[in-house]
Amino acid sequence: MTAAIIFGLLLALMLTGMPISISLGLTVLTFLFTMTTVPLESVALKLFTGIENFEIMAIPFFILAGNFLTHGGVARRMIVFASSMVGHWYGGLGLAGVLACALFAAVSGSSPATVVAIGSILLPAMVKAGFPKKFGAGIITTSGALGILIPPSIVMVMFAVATNTSVGALFMAGVVPGIALACVLGGVTWYRARKFDYPRQAKATTAQRLKAFRESIWGLLLIIIVMGGIYTGVFTPTEAAAMSAVYAFFVAVFVYRDMGLKDVPKVLLNSANMSAMLLYIITNAVMFSFIMTNENIPQALADWMLGQGLGSVTFLLAVNVLLLAAGNFMEPSSIVLIFAPILFPVAMKLGINPVHFGIIMVVNMEVGMCHPPVGLNLYVASGITKMGITELTVAVWPWLLSMIGFLLLVTYWPPLSIWFPHQLGMM
Protein backbone atom coordinates (compact mmCIF):
# COMPACT_ATOMS: atom_id res chain seq x y z
CA MET A 1 0.00 0.00 0.00
CA THR A 2 2.78 2.41 0.97
CA ALA A 3 4.63 1.64 -2.28
CA ALA A 4 1.46 2.31 -4.30
CA ILE A 5 1.01 5.71 -2.60
CA ILE A 6 4.68 6.72 -3.15
CA PHE A 7 4.74 5.69 -6.82
CA GLY A 8 1.24 7.05 -7.48
CA LEU A 9 2.30 10.43 -6.12
CA LEU A 10 5.55 10.42 -8.12
CA LEU A 11 3.72 9.47 -11.33
CA ALA A 12 1.03 12.12 -10.79
CA LEU A 13 3.65 14.85 -10.31
CA MET A 14 5.61 13.72 -13.36
CA LEU A 15 2.47 13.71 -15.53
CA THR A 16 2.00 17.41 -14.75
CA GLY A 17 5.25 18.00 -16.67
CA MET A 18 7.26 18.76 -13.55
CA PRO A 19 11.02 17.98 -13.80
CA ILE A 20 11.98 14.57 -12.38
CA SER A 21 14.23 15.99 -9.67
CA ILE A 22 11.49 18.26 -8.25
CA SER A 23 8.87 15.46 -8.53
CA LEU A 24 11.15 13.21 -6.47
CA GLY A 25 11.78 15.93 -3.88
CA LEU A 26 8.07 16.76 -3.47
CA THR A 27 7.13 13.07 -3.23
CA VAL A 28 9.70 12.59 -0.47
CA LEU A 29 8.60 15.70 1.44
CA THR A 30 4.87 14.90 1.17
CA PHE A 31 5.48 11.37 2.40
CA LEU A 32 7.73 12.55 5.25
CA PHE A 33 5.28 15.11 6.60
CA THR A 34 2.09 13.06 6.28
CA MET A 35 2.74 9.32 6.46
CA THR A 36 5.88 8.46 8.39
CA THR A 37 7.58 9.01 11.72
CA VAL A 38 11.13 9.35 10.35
CA PRO A 39 12.79 12.26 12.24
CA LEU A 40 13.59 15.19 9.93
CA GLU A 41 17.10 15.44 11.40
CA SER A 42 18.00 12.04 9.95
CA VAL A 43 16.61 13.17 6.58
CA ALA A 44 18.84 16.27 6.58
CA LEU A 45 21.82 14.11 7.52
CA LYS A 46 20.99 11.64 4.73
CA LEU A 47 20.87 14.51 2.22
CA PHE A 48 24.50 15.36 2.98
CA THR A 49 25.90 11.86 3.43
CA GLY A 50 24.05 10.72 0.29
CA ILE A 51 26.11 12.87 -2.05
CA GLU A 52 29.23 12.89 0.09
CA ASN A 53 30.50 10.07 -2.06
CA PHE A 54 33.92 9.87 -3.69
CA GLU A 55 32.52 8.14 -6.81
CA ILE A 56 30.02 10.93 -7.48
CA MET A 57 32.94 13.31 -8.09
CA ALA A 58 33.67 11.37 -11.29
CA ILE A 59 30.47 12.71 -12.88
CA PRO A 60 31.38 16.45 -13.21
CA PHE A 61 34.89 15.50 -14.38
CA PHE A 62 33.62 13.17 -17.13
CA ILE A 63 31.11 15.84 -18.23
CA LEU A 64 33.93 18.42 -18.39
CA ALA A 65 36.19 16.05 -20.36
CA GLY A 66 33.32 15.30 -22.80
CA ASN A 67 32.70 19.02 -23.36
CA PHE A 68 36.37 19.77 -24.05
CA LEU A 69 36.52 16.87 -26.51
CA THR A 70 33.27 17.89 -28.25
CA HIS A 71 34.47 21.48 -28.84
CA GLY A 72 38.15 20.69 -29.28
CA GLY A 73 38.32 18.99 -32.69
CA VAL A 74 38.81 15.45 -31.30
CA ALA A 75 35.53 14.18 -32.81
CA ARG A 76 36.41 15.46 -36.31
CA ARG A 77 39.77 13.68 -36.30
CA MET A 78 38.18 10.47 -35.04
CA ILE A 79 35.68 10.57 -37.94
CA VAL A 80 38.51 11.04 -40.47
CA PHE A 81 40.39 8.09 -38.93
CA ALA A 82 37.26 5.88 -38.88
CA SER A 83 36.37 6.65 -42.51
CA SER A 84 39.94 5.93 -43.65
CA MET A 85 39.58 2.45 -42.08
CA VAL A 86 36.07 1.40 -43.19
CA GLY A 87 35.00 4.02 -45.77
CA HIS A 88 35.50 1.70 -48.75
CA TRP A 89 32.96 -0.88 -47.51
CA TYR A 90 29.21 -0.72 -48.28
CA GLY A 91 27.73 2.29 -46.48
CA GLY A 92 31.29 3.48 -45.80
CA LEU A 93 30.49 6.82 -44.17
CA GLY A 94 27.71 5.17 -42.14
CA LEU A 95 30.10 2.51 -40.84
CA ALA A 96 32.62 5.27 -40.10
CA GLY A 97 29.86 6.91 -38.03
CA VAL A 98 29.36 3.74 -35.95
CA LEU A 99 33.13 3.35 -35.43
CA ALA A 100 33.61 7.06 -34.62
CA CYS A 101 30.72 6.91 -32.11
CA ALA A 102 32.32 3.86 -30.45
CA LEU A 103 35.71 5.63 -30.23
CA PHE A 104 34.20 8.88 -28.96
CA ALA A 105 32.05 6.92 -26.46
CA ALA A 106 35.29 5.55 -25.03
CA VAL A 107 36.43 9.05 -24.10
CA SER A 108 33.23 10.99 -23.34
CA GLY A 109 30.97 8.88 -21.10
CA SER A 110 27.76 10.51 -22.34
CA SER A 111 25.37 9.53 -25.15
CA PRO A 112 23.95 12.98 -26.04
CA ALA A 113 27.54 14.34 -26.18
CA THR A 114 28.47 11.54 -28.62
CA VAL A 115 25.43 12.26 -30.84
CA VAL A 116 26.25 15.99 -30.93
CA ALA A 117 29.99 15.59 -31.48
CA ILE A 118 29.82 12.96 -34.23
CA GLY A 119 26.42 13.78 -35.72
CA SER A 120 26.96 17.49 -36.31
CA ILE A 121 30.04 16.72 -38.42
CA LEU A 122 29.09 13.40 -40.05
CA LEU A 123 25.45 13.97 -41.02
CA PRO A 124 26.07 16.89 -43.41
CA ALA A 125 28.96 14.90 -44.95
CA MET A 126 26.70 11.84 -45.47
CA VAL A 127 23.93 13.87 -47.12
CA LYS A 128 26.54 15.55 -49.35
CA ALA A 129 27.93 12.11 -50.34
CA GLY A 130 24.48 10.99 -51.49
CA PHE A 131 23.11 9.06 -48.50
CA PRO A 132 19.44 9.55 -47.56
CA LYS A 133 19.10 11.80 -44.51
CA LYS A 134 17.04 9.09 -42.72
CA PHE A 135 19.88 6.56 -43.02
CA GLY A 136 22.43 8.90 -41.43
CA ALA A 137 20.01 9.98 -38.70
CA GLY A 138 19.22 6.35 -37.79
CA ILE A 139 22.92 5.50 -37.47
CA ILE A 140 23.90 8.51 -35.37
CA THR A 141 20.89 8.32 -33.02
CA THR A 142 21.44 4.64 -32.17
CA SER A 143 25.26 4.53 -32.30
CA GLY A 144 25.41 7.59 -30.07
CA ALA A 145 23.82 5.42 -27.36
CA LEU A 146 27.15 3.54 -27.15
CA GLY A 147 28.27 6.54 -25.07
CA ILE A 148 26.80 5.02 -21.89
CA LEU A 149 27.82 1.37 -22.49
CA ILE A 150 31.43 1.74 -23.61
CA PRO A 151 33.40 2.90 -20.54
CA PRO A 152 33.88 5.43 -19.07
CA SER A 153 30.15 5.93 -18.51
CA ILE A 154 28.31 8.45 -16.33
CA VAL A 155 25.27 6.13 -16.06
CA MET A 156 27.51 3.30 -14.75
CA VAL A 157 28.90 5.65 -12.08
CA MET A 158 25.31 6.42 -11.04
CA PHE A 159 24.44 2.70 -10.85
CA ALA A 160 27.55 2.11 -8.74
CA VAL A 161 26.58 4.97 -6.39
CA ALA A 162 23.00 3.68 -6.05
CA THR A 163 23.99 0.04 -5.35
CA ASN A 164 27.56 0.13 -3.94
CA THR A 165 28.91 -1.88 -6.88
CA SER A 166 32.54 -1.50 -8.02
CA VAL A 167 32.85 1.25 -10.68
CA GLY A 168 36.04 -0.34 -12.07
CA ALA A 169 34.38 -3.76 -12.51
CA LEU A 170 31.36 -2.13 -14.21
CA PHE A 171 33.61 -0.18 -16.59
CA MET A 172 35.49 -3.33 -17.61
CA ALA A 173 32.21 -5.27 -17.94
CA GLY A 174 31.00 -2.71 -20.48
CA VAL A 175 33.94 -3.26 -22.86
CA VAL A 176 32.88 -6.55 -24.54
CA PRO A 177 29.12 -5.76 -24.79
CA GLY A 178 30.06 -2.28 -26.09
CA ILE A 179 32.22 -3.69 -28.88
CA ALA A 180 29.58 -6.38 -29.62
CA LEU A 181 26.77 -3.77 -29.91
CA ALA A 182 28.96 -1.58 -32.15
CA CYS A 183 29.42 -4.66 -34.41
CA VAL A 184 25.64 -5.33 -34.41
CA LEU A 185 24.84 -1.71 -35.37
CA GLY A 186 27.63 -1.80 -37.98
CA GLY A 187 26.16 -5.04 -39.38
CA VAL A 188 22.70 -3.47 -39.79
CA THR A 189 24.30 -0.42 -41.45
CA TRP A 190 26.32 -2.59 -43.87
CA TYR A 191 23.31 -4.79 -44.74
CA ARG A 192 21.01 -1.85 -45.49
CA ALA A 193 23.70 0.00 -47.45
CA ARG A 194 24.33 -3.10 -49.58
CA LYS A 195 20.59 -3.74 -50.06
CA PHE A 196 19.91 -0.17 -51.27
CA ASP A 197 23.30 0.23 -52.97
CA TYR A 198 24.40 3.34 -51.08
CA PRO A 199 27.67 5.06 -52.09
CA ARG A 200 31.12 3.82 -51.03
CA GLN A 201 34.33 5.82 -50.72
CA ALA A 202 37.58 5.11 -52.48
CA LYS A 203 39.85 2.85 -50.43
CA ALA A 204 42.32 4.88 -48.36
CA THR A 205 46.03 4.21 -48.90
CA THR A 206 48.23 3.04 -46.03
CA ALA A 207 49.82 6.50 -45.94
CA GLN A 208 46.41 8.18 -45.60
CA ARG A 209 45.44 5.77 -42.81
CA LEU A 210 48.67 6.42 -40.94
CA LYS A 211 48.21 10.18 -41.30
CA ALA A 212 44.63 9.95 -39.98
CA PHE A 213 45.81 7.75 -37.09
CA ARG A 214 48.62 10.17 -36.22
CA GLU A 215 46.18 13.10 -36.16
CA SER A 216 43.65 11.29 -33.96
CA ILE A 217 46.23 9.65 -31.65
CA TRP A 218 45.83 12.31 -28.94
CA GLY A 219 42.14 11.50 -28.58
CA LEU A 220 42.68 7.73 -28.80
CA LEU A 221 45.40 7.89 -26.12
CA LEU A 222 42.79 9.02 -23.62
CA ILE A 223 41.09 5.59 -23.92
CA ILE A 224 44.37 3.90 -22.94
CA ILE A 225 45.03 6.36 -20.10
CA VAL A 226 41.57 5.92 -18.52
CA MET A 227 41.13 2.16 -18.99
CA GLY A 228 44.78 1.28 -18.44
CA GLY A 229 44.99 3.48 -15.36
CA ILE A 230 41.92 1.90 -13.74
CA TYR A 231 42.96 -1.68 -14.60
CA THR A 232 46.56 -1.34 -13.39
CA GLY A 233 45.35 0.38 -10.23
CA VAL A 234 47.36 3.55 -10.94
CA PHE A 235 44.22 5.52 -10.18
CA THR A 236 40.59 5.04 -9.16
CA PRO A 237 37.72 5.73 -11.61
CA THR A 238 37.22 9.17 -9.97
CA GLU A 239 40.91 10.05 -10.38
CA ALA A 240 40.71 8.74 -13.96
CA ALA A 241 37.84 11.19 -14.57
CA ALA A 242 39.89 14.10 -13.21
CA MET A 243 42.88 13.00 -15.33
CA SER A 244 40.75 12.82 -18.46
CA ALA A 245 39.35 16.34 -17.86
CA VAL A 246 42.86 17.83 -17.53
CA TYR A 247 44.12 15.81 -20.52
CA ALA A 248 41.12 16.81 -22.69
CA PHE A 249 41.72 20.49 -21.80
CA PHE A 250 45.43 20.16 -22.73
CA VAL A 251 44.69 18.43 -26.06
CA ALA A 252 41.87 20.82 -27.09
CA VAL A 253 43.71 24.05 -26.19
CA PHE A 254 47.43 23.35 -26.66
CA VAL A 255 47.73 20.38 -29.08
CA TYR A 256 44.89 20.70 -31.61
CA ARG A 257 44.33 24.40 -30.87
CA ASP A 258 40.74 24.23 -32.16
CA MET A 259 39.79 26.06 -29.01
CA GLY A 260 41.36 29.16 -27.47
CA LEU A 261 41.80 29.96 -23.78
CA LYS A 262 38.98 32.51 -24.17
CA ASP A 263 36.54 29.62 -24.91
CA VAL A 264 37.43 27.73 -21.71
CA PRO A 265 35.13 29.69 -19.30
CA LYS A 266 32.12 28.91 -21.55
CA VAL A 267 32.92 25.17 -21.50
CA LEU A 268 33.40 25.28 -17.71
CA LEU A 269 30.05 27.02 -17.28
CA ASN A 270 28.22 24.51 -19.52
CA SER A 271 29.79 21.63 -17.59
CA ALA A 272 28.87 23.20 -14.24
CA ASN A 273 25.24 23.59 -15.42
CA MET A 274 24.99 19.93 -16.48
CA SER A 275 26.73 18.70 -13.32
CA ALA A 276 24.47 20.77 -11.06
CA MET A 277 21.38 19.36 -12.78
CA LEU A 278 22.58 15.75 -12.37
CA LEU A 279 23.72 16.25 -8.77
CA TYR A 280 20.33 17.75 -7.90
CA ILE A 281 18.61 14.66 -9.33
CA ILE A 282 21.04 12.42 -7.39
CA THR A 283 20.33 14.26 -4.10
CA ASN A 284 16.58 13.82 -4.46
CA ALA A 285 16.94 10.21 -5.66
CA VAL A 286 19.11 9.39 -2.61
CA MET A 287 16.26 10.66 -0.40
CA PHE A 288 13.73 8.66 -2.39
CA SER A 289 15.68 5.41 -2.02
CA PHE A 290 16.20 6.17 1.71
CA ILE A 291 12.40 6.33 2.18
CA MET A 292 11.96 3.15 0.13
CA THR A 293 14.48 1.27 2.27
CA ASN A 294 13.05 2.73 5.47
CA GLU A 295 9.59 1.42 4.52
CA ASN A 296 11.13 -1.99 3.60
CA ILE A 297 9.67 -1.83 0.07
CA PRO A 298 12.58 -3.53 -1.83
CA GLN A 299 12.75 -6.34 0.76
CA ALA A 300 8.96 -6.85 0.65
CA LEU A 301 9.09 -7.00 -3.17
CA ALA A 302 11.93 -9.56 -3.04
CA ASP A 303 10.06 -11.74 -0.53
CA TRP A 304 6.85 -11.54 -2.57
CA MET A 305 8.62 -12.58 -5.79
CA LEU A 306 10.36 -15.49 -4.08
CA GLY A 307 7.05 -16.48 -2.45
CA GLN A 308 5.40 -16.60 -5.89
CA GLY A 309 8.17 -18.95 -7.03
CA LEU A 310 9.38 -16.49 -9.70
CA GLY A 311 12.89 -17.34 -10.87
CA SER A 312 15.63 -15.14 -12.28
CA VAL A 313 14.42 -15.65 -15.92
CA THR A 314 10.96 -14.21 -15.20
CA PHE A 315 12.40 -11.48 -12.98
CA LEU A 316 14.87 -10.29 -15.65
CA LEU A 317 12.11 -10.28 -18.27
CA ALA A 318 9.95 -8.17 -15.92
CA VAL A 319 12.93 -5.83 -15.30
CA ASN A 320 13.44 -5.33 -19.04
CA VAL A 321 9.75 -4.58 -19.62
CA LEU A 322 9.64 -2.20 -16.64
CA LEU A 323 12.82 -0.31 -17.65
CA LEU A 324 11.78 -0.04 -21.31
CA ALA A 325 8.40 1.30 -20.18
CA ALA A 326 10.13 3.78 -17.83
CA GLY A 327 12.34 4.82 -20.77
CA ASN A 328 9.18 6.13 -22.44
CA PHE A 329 8.91 9.07 -20.08
CA MET A 330 12.13 9.37 -18.04
CA GLU A 331 15.78 9.94 -18.81
CA PRO A 332 18.52 7.38 -17.92
CA SER A 333 19.99 9.04 -14.81
CA SER A 334 16.58 9.23 -13.14
CA ILE A 335 15.65 5.64 -14.07
CA VAL A 336 18.88 4.24 -12.64
CA LEU A 337 18.65 6.27 -9.43
CA ILE A 338 14.98 5.41 -8.79
CA PHE A 339 14.82 1.76 -9.89
CA ALA A 340 18.30 0.42 -9.06
CA PRO A 341 17.85 0.62 -5.24
CA ILE A 342 14.46 -1.16 -5.56
CA LEU A 343 15.36 -3.90 -8.07
CA PHE A 344 18.94 -4.54 -6.93
CA PRO A 345 18.07 -6.31 -3.60
CA VAL A 346 15.65 -8.62 -5.48
CA ALA A 347 18.35 -9.43 -8.06
CA MET A 348 20.80 -10.26 -5.26
CA LYS A 349 18.28 -12.59 -3.56
CA LEU A 350 17.79 -14.39 -6.88
CA GLY A 351 21.56 -14.87 -7.20
CA ILE A 352 22.07 -12.54 -10.20
CA ASN A 353 25.60 -11.14 -10.51
CA PRO A 354 25.57 -7.42 -9.47
CA VAL A 355 27.84 -6.34 -12.34
CA HIS A 356 25.80 -8.31 -14.89
CA PHE A 357 22.62 -6.68 -13.53
CA GLY A 358 24.27 -3.25 -13.91
CA ILE A 359 25.07 -3.92 -17.58
CA ILE A 360 21.46 -5.10 -18.21
CA MET A 361 20.21 -1.78 -16.78
CA VAL A 362 22.65 0.24 -18.90
CA VAL A 363 21.64 -1.54 -22.15
CA ASN A 364 17.98 -0.88 -21.27
CA MET A 365 18.86 2.81 -20.86
CA GLU A 366 20.48 2.76 -24.32
CA VAL A 367 17.33 1.42 -25.96
CA GLY A 368 15.26 3.97 -24.00
CA MET A 369 17.41 6.83 -25.34
CA CYS A 370 16.43 5.95 -28.92
CA HIS A 371 12.67 5.55 -28.74
CA PRO A 372 9.88 8.10 -28.32
CA PRO A 373 8.42 10.01 -26.64
CA VAL A 374 11.35 10.99 -24.36
CA GLY A 375 14.36 9.38 -26.08
CA LEU A 376 17.13 11.89 -25.29
CA ASN A 377 19.14 10.93 -28.38
CA LEU A 378 16.06 11.45 -30.57
CA TYR A 379 15.75 15.05 -29.38
CA VAL A 380 19.46 15.74 -29.78
CA ALA A 381 19.47 14.17 -33.26
CA SER A 382 16.29 16.06 -34.12
CA GLY A 383 18.12 19.32 -33.35
CA ILE A 384 21.02 18.36 -35.63
CA THR A 385 19.01 16.86 -38.53
CA LYS A 386 16.03 19.28 -38.37
CA MET A 387 13.79 16.19 -38.67
CA GLY A 388 10.61 15.68 -36.62
CA ILE A 389 10.50 13.07 -33.82
CA THR A 390 8.00 10.90 -35.78
CA GLU A 391 10.20 10.93 -38.88
CA LEU A 392 13.26 10.09 -36.76
CA THR A 393 11.43 7.22 -35.04
CA VAL A 394 10.76 5.66 -38.45
CA ALA A 395 14.43 6.22 -39.37
CA VAL A 396 15.84 4.43 -36.30
CA TRP A 397 13.63 1.31 -36.20
CA PRO A 398 15.95 -1.16 -38.06
CA TRP A 399 18.78 -0.36 -35.59
CA LEU A 400 16.39 -0.18 -32.63
CA LEU A 401 15.07 -3.71 -33.32
CA SER A 402 18.63 -5.05 -33.43
CA MET A 403 19.33 -3.29 -30.09
CA ILE A 404 16.31 -5.01 -28.49
CA GLY A 405 17.61 -8.37 -29.78
CA PHE A 406 21.02 -7.51 -28.29
CA LEU A 407 19.34 -6.62 -24.97
CA LEU A 408 17.90 -10.16 -24.76
CA LEU A 409 21.36 -11.62 -25.47
CA VAL A 410 22.97 -9.51 -22.70
CA THR A 411 20.16 -10.37 -20.28
CA TYR A 412 20.27 -14.14 -20.63
CA TRP A 413 23.95 -14.75 -21.41
CA PRO A 414 25.92 -13.36 -18.40
CA PRO A 415 29.43 -14.32 -19.69
CA LEU A 416 29.12 -11.56 -22.32
CA SER A 417 29.28 -9.02 -19.48
CA ILE A 418 31.29 -10.70 -16.74
CA TRP A 419 33.94 -12.69 -18.65
CA PHE A 420 36.29 -9.72 -19.18
CA PRO A 421 36.34 -8.36 -15.59
CA HIS A 422 36.80 -11.98 -14.40
CA GLN A 423 39.83 -12.36 -16.66
CA LEU A 424 41.27 -9.13 -15.27
CA GLY A 425 40.75 -10.38 -11.70
CA MET A 426 38.38 -7.49 -10.84
CA MET A 427 35.54 -9.74 -9.67
Side-chain angles (χ1 to χ4, degrees):
M1 185 63 191
T2 311
I5 293 169
I6 293 174
F7 277 104
L9 189 57
L10 179 64
L11 195 61
L13 288 171
M14 276 167 24
L15 287 173
T16 63
M18 193 180 284
I20 285 278
S21 50
I22 297 172
S23 304
L24 278 170
L26 280 178
T27 304
V28 169
L29 287 174
T30 309
F31 189 78
L32 278 173
F33 282 115
T34 57
M35 296 178 219
T36 183
T37 52
V38 177
L40 286 180
E41 290 79 6
S42 69
V43 175
L45 187 67
K46 187 69 193 166
L47 266 175
F48 279 99
T49 54
I51 55 167
E52 199 178 40
N53 188 320
F54 188 60
E55 268 99 24
I56 290 181
M57 283 175 62
I59 295 170
F61 285 128
F62 278 133
I63 289 172
L64 182 57
N67 278 345
F68 274 128
L69 295 167
T70 308
H71 299 294
V74 175
R76 185 166 45 81
R77 290 168 176 85
M78 281 183 173
I79 292 170
V80 172
F81 171 61
S83 52
S84 73
M85 299 306 287
V86 295
H88 57 286
W89 294 355
Y90 282 104
L93 269 178
L95 285 175
V98 176
L99 181 57
C101 281
L103 291 172
F104 195 80
V107 293
S108 78
S110 155
S111 286
T114 307
V115 175
V116 170
I118 305 297
S120 51
I121 301 164
L122 195 79
L123 275 167
M126 284 184 77
V127 173
K128 198 173 164 189
F131 287 92
K133 201 175 186 181
K134 272 180 161 178
F135 183 70
I139 292 168
I140 297 302
T141 308
T142 49
S143 301
L146 290 167
I148 59 171
L149 179 58
I150 295 177
S153 155
I154 293 168
V155 172
M156 284 184 192
V157 175
M158 291 194 164
F159 178 84
V161 167
T163 60
N164 281 330
T165 312
S166 156
V167 180
L170 274 170
F171 278 8
M172 295 305 164
V175 173
V176 177
I179 294 168
L181 182 57
C183 292
V184 168
L185 296 172
V188 174
T189 304
W190 179 85
Y191 171 76
R192 289 184 70 78
R194 190 175 171 205
K195 185 179 171 187
F196 299 113
D197 197 28
Y198 291 152
R200 300 158 73 169
Q201 292 178 299
K203 189 171 181 175
T205 62
T206 310
Q208 284 172 321
R209 284 179 176 176
L210 281 172
K211 180 174 181 278
F213 177 68
R214 266 202 315 275
E215 285 183 354
S216 63
I217 189 75
W218 287 97
L220 301 173
L221 266 176
L222 186 53
I223 303 171
I224 297 163
I225 290 172
V226 171
M227 301 307 289
I230 294 170
Y231 165 55
T232 53
V234 174
F235 36 65
T236 65
T238 306
E239 290 160 355
M243 269 290 301
S244 65
V246 173
Y247 180 87
F249 161 72
F250 175 75
V251 170
V253 177
F254 298 111
V255 180
Y256 290 152
R257 295 182 183 174
D258 285 10
M259 200 174 133
L261 280 168
K262 65 179 188 304
D263 303 318
V264 173
K266 189 180 168 210
V267 171
L268 289 171
L269 195 63
N270 282 346
S271 306
N273 273 339
M274 281 176 73
S275 303
M277 183 185 76
L278 282 178
L279 290 170
Y280 186 56
I281 295 174
I282 291 172
T283 310
N284 284 309
V286 162
M287 285 304 312
F288 188 76
S289 71
F290 168 66
I291 277 193
M292 286 290 187
T293 315
N294 195 58
E295 297 294 322
N296 266 342
I297 291 168
Q299 292 76 2
L301 181 65
D303 293 339
W304 178 81
M305 288 196 80
L306 291 168
Q308 298 294 316
L310 293 177
S312 56
V313 174
T314 324
F315 170 69
L316 287 175
L317 185 64
V319 166
N320 283 340
V321 171
L322 177 69
L323 293 177
L324 289 175
N328 280 320
F329 57 90
M330 287 159 76
E331 47 88 43
S333 314
S334 312
I335 298 176
V336 168
L337 291 165
I338 293 170
F339 288 104
I342 300 166
L343 300 171
F344 190 74
V346 187
M348 294 308 94
K349 275 201 172 179
L350 291 170
I352 296 161
N353 184 290
V355 173
H356 173 223
F357 189 67
I359 298 299
I360 293 171
M361 281 200 82
V362 171
V363 177
N364 268 295
M365 300 305 97
E366 283 195 286
V367 177
M369 291 183 106
C370 304
H371 69 68
V374 187
L376 256 184
N377 285 9
L378 281 180
Y379 282 94
V380 176
S382 169
I384 297 169
T385 55
K386 305 288 181 280
M387 288 165 74
I389 296 294
T390 317
E391 202 182 349
L392 259 176
T393 307
V394 175
V396 301
W397 79 263
W399 289 273
L400 196 56
L401 283 180
S402 69
M403 285 170 86
I404 293 169
F406 180 77
L407 171 62
L408 288 173
L409 179 67
V410 166
T411 304
Y412 293 114
W413 192 44
L416 184 63
S417 311
I418 58 181
W419 171 82
F420 191 54
H422 262 306
Q423 294 299 312
L424 298 176
M426 298 185 82
M427 283 172 67

